[in-house]
């Protein structure tokens, strides 16, 4: 939607300008019609940058974090099934976690 919202706004502007051309014989209504046409573009760009793009960024970030957690889980289970010693499993999994998160987990414990 972040990519399509401005396009939809432009389509609204074009349709609004078509209405302007239909009413050229009524000059008193042209100002309102032109303003309405350009408000469509404003709404398209505004909705993309205020709602859709930030929402998409948050969803992408959450998805990336969940994928990283699942990969860490699969790696740990694979090592346990392979019979790797618990100390080695811990060291390997700790090396896959960013240092800031390791420090935060150590402080919380």
């Amino acid at each position: 939607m972040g990519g399509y919202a401005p396009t939809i706004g432009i389509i609204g502007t074009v349709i609004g300008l078509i209405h302007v051309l239909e009413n050229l014989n009524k000059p008193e209504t042209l100002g309102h019609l032109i303003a309405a046409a350009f408000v469509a573009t404003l709404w398209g760009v505004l909705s993309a940058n205020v709602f859709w793009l930030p929402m998409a960024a948050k969803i992408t970030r959450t998805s990336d974090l969940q994928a990283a957690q699942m990969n860490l889980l699969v790696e740990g289970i694979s090592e346990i099934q392979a019979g790797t010693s618990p100390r080695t499993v811990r060291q390997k999994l700790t090396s896959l976690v960013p240092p800031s998160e390791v420090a935060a987990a150590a402080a919380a414990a």
Side-chain angles (χ1 to χ4, degrees):
M1 282 303 297
Y4 292 121
T7 304
I8 293 169
I10 295 295
I11 291 169
T13 299
V14 170
I15 291 171
L17 291 176
I18 289 170
H19 289 297
V20 169
L21 294 175
E22 290 174 350
N23 293 301
L24 284 177
N25 59 349
K26 300 175 193 169
E28 66 278 357
T29 64
L30 292 182
H32 297 290
L33 292 172
I34 292 171
F38 286 110
V39 166
T41 300
L42 178 66
W43 276 112
V45 172
L46 184 72
S47 69
N49 290 303
V50 172
F51 298 114
W52 305 119
L53 293 175
M55 205 179 311
K58 185 172 183 173
I59 290 169
T60 300
R61 177 71 178 141
T62 302
S63 175
D64 290 344
L65 287 173
Q66 288 178 347
Q69 288 173 344
M70 292 297 170
N71 286 335
L72 191 64
L73 183 65
V74 167
E75 187 68 32
I77 291 171
S78 297
E79 291 293 325
I80 291 170
Q81 285 182 338
T84 307
S85 73
R87 182 174 292 169
T88 306
V89 171
R90 180 177 181 199
Q91 287 175 344
K92 185 169 185 177
L93 295 179
T94 303
S95 71
L96 297 174
V97 176
S100 59
E101 290 185 28
V102 173

